Amino acid sequence: MENLSVQTEYERFAAMCQCGLRNVLASIENIRQQMSLSDDRNPFSIVTSRIKTLDSAIEKCERKYGEASISRLRSLQDIAGVRIITDFEDDIFVIHDMLTRVPTFTVIEKNDYIANPKPNGYRSLHLIVTVNIFFEGRSRMVPVEIQIRDKAMDLWASLEHIIKYKHPNPSPEIVGQFKRIADSLAKFDKDAMRIRDEAASNDN
Ligand code: 0O2
């Protein structure tokens, strides 16, 4: 019975977050389209989104708080999530600057795991934005998480996620190997930008 009400309440909250997600995606699509009109390279490569499943939300609450009550589930700020993938590392900050100026949502939190990678090597720029929605006859604010990363960062995070999902407690040796790959990819990102800039200056 308790589980049933958690599920019902979560579905209602997730529906609210989904309204916010639609607003954020519409704003991102508008920016992406406008930028595609210019001659410059478009910083957006791929945009995806998801609503967190109840099971994933429960797993996260239990990991973070040791319990998954309705109030804990509602405190999660990434029930709705957008992921923006760029070709180059510096495109991430071009997109970040655009998003801070969008009038339809407000950036309330920023975690720059590119300037400060996680100890395992994870790199990405995370934003939490709040969006005003109209739901059940009244206006409410809901959070949406936006993760911005380049293709190299995304490759690393996808593989690490797959392996961590199958083996939640990897050995220090495996963790060390992932850190070394992350460091190589960080160097690759710098080289890719340098080669891009050299190629452009050769054109001039
Ligand atoms: P999923 O699959 O996206 O639903 P935390 O307390 O750290 O667990 P918090 O406070 O939300 O979570 O903040 P954080 O760490 O800034 O962002 C969490 C999200 O970033 C994760 O969501 C992942 O999507 C991604 N992420 C963070 N760290 C790592 C990492 O080391 N490896 C990979 N592959 N992804 C990471 P969820 O809810 O954990 O998962």
Side-chain angles (χ1 to χ4, degrees):
M1 189 62 190
E2 169 66 9
N3 275 350
L4 189 63
S5 83
V6 165
Q7 180 169 353
T8 309
E9 278 301 308
Y10 184 77
E11 279 170 5
R12 186 169 157 273
F13 184 55
M16 282 193 239
C17 293
Q18 191 153 28
C19 288
L21 180 63
R22 281 192 211 102
N23 291 2
V24 170
L25 285 173
S27 297
I28 290 174
E29 188 48 37
N30 289 343
I31 297 172
R32 176 149 85 151
Q33 196 187 28
Q34 284 162 43
M35 293 189 98
S36 71
L37 298 175
S38 98
D39 285 342
D40 293 340
R41 201 172 37 78
N42 198 321
F44 293 86
S45 180
I46 302 163
V47 179
T48 59
S49 66
R50 63 106 181 90
I51 292 289
K52 218 175 184 53
T53 62
L54 174 61
D55 285 350
S56 168
I58 288 175
E59 183 279 316
K60 184 162 187 169
C61 280
E62 284 174 347
R63 175 162 44 86
K64 278 184 91 166
Y65 310 114
E67 60 161 29
S69 58
I70 279 292
S71 62
R72 292 294 193 192
L73 289 166
R74 288 177 68 105
S75 75
L76 295 179
Q77 293 190 299
D78 67 340
I79 300 294
V82 180
R83 188 169 290 156
I84 301 172
I85 314 286
T86 66
D87 289 329
F88 294 97
E89 183 178 315
D90 51 4
D91 290 339
I92 294 168
F93 300 97
V94 172
I95 291 174
H96 165 261
D97 288 349
M98 286 283 177
L99 296 185
T100 56
R101 286 185 276 141
V102 174
T104 48
F105 53 77
T106 309
V107 177
I108 58 158
E109 194 180 310
K110 172 178 162 184
N111 279 313
D112 186 347
Y113 298 122
I114 300 167
N116 302 296
K118 288 198 171 185
N120 62 356
Y122 177 78
R123 293 184 305 140
S124 213
L125 184 68
H126 290 193
L127 305 176
I128 304 293
V129 302
T130 50
V131 200
N132 191 223
I133 58 155
F134 189 67
F135 192 88
E136 293 175 340
R138 37 181 277 237
S139 116
R140 300 153 194 268
M141 297 298 272
V142 290
V144 175
E145 184 191 61
I146 305 178
Q147 297 182 350
I148 319 172
R149 55 173 75 143
D150 67 26
K151 285 177 174 166
M153 297 172 192
D154 191 52
L155 174 69
W156 185 95
S158 308
L159 296 181
E160 194 261 3
H161 181 77
I162 291 168
I163 291 178
K164 202 162 66 181
Y165 185 77
K166 288 205 165 197
H167 311 281
N169 296 305
S171 67
E173 170 58 21
I174 299 282
V175 173
Q177 291 192 55
F178 265 110
K179 176 71 172 70
R180 282 194 289 282
I181 296 172
D183 292 344
S184 306
L185 289 171
K187 181 175 180 309
F188 167 89
D189 273 340
K190 300 277 176 279
D191 288 344
M193 289 188 289
R194 181 181 47 74
I195 294 165
R196 175 200 63 192
D197 294 343
E198 275 174 24
S201 67
N202 288 345
D203 290 344
N204 297 329

